Amino acid sequence: MAITDFEGLRKRFDALKKLNEKTILSGWIDGNGTARKAKENLDYRKKTGKLTPALREPASNSLIARTLNYGRKEGTTLEGVHYPEIPARPFLRFAMERFRAIMPKLERKYLPQIINGEMTVQTMCEELGMRLKDCITLAMRDSEKYEPLRDATVHARIRQGRPSATPLIDTHQLIDSVTFEVK
């Protein structure tokens, strides 16, 4: 589509401006606030050296993802509940590396369509959100990049009827709940 007047040019610039104003988030929603609360507790422990109380709520998928991605040091809650160390398995870093690698190809494909009015900004952002979500799930499945599960974890899974020894994938709760949002 050729630009034949100033109005057509303005519309194309407006579309690019709208694209620049968009944000694409991908991951997990912290539905019950446990990821936020756990981060506050961690910051408090680092600052004061004091123990913090247990969360007393089921962990949100956001908290589970954060813990698996960054790992967790062994510790004890204020109530004396012991929790084990979990090694970091940085799947989000690998997902972003993969996404950054494919982004130039996606830009070459979609930007001309935006400029020519053949695709809306929202459609492009939703497509990019899906691609980012896919990069996260692929990174989670790429288990050879991560420290293997400890024998105790594998044995616990077997006792619970879940024989998978693959890091990051146990019940599929986390990998199946990756989502994205365009703002």
Side-chain angles (χ1 to χ4, degrees), residues 94-148:
F94 294 127
M96 287 309 299
E97 288 171 1
R98 186 180 304 236
F99 187 71
R100 285 187 191 108
I102 65 170
M103 193 61 188
K105 181 179 177 184
L106 297 174
E107 288 173 343
R108 285 191 302 275
K109 179 179 179 181
Y110 296 130
L111 286 178
Q113 293 177 40
I114 294 285
I115 291 169
N116 292 331
E118 298 164 356
M119 176 184 272
T120 67
V121 168
Q122 184 67 26
T123 300
M124 178 182 171
C125 289
E126 289 173 3
E127 181 64 31
L128 294 176
M130 286 296 298
R131 297 294 182 105
L132 182 53
K133 175 185 168 186
D134 291 345
C135 287
I136 292 172
T137 59
L138 286 170
M140 291 177 76
R141 291 179 191 282
D142 205 357
S143 61
E144 71 272 357
K145 292 184 177 185
Y146 310 114
E147 182 177 323

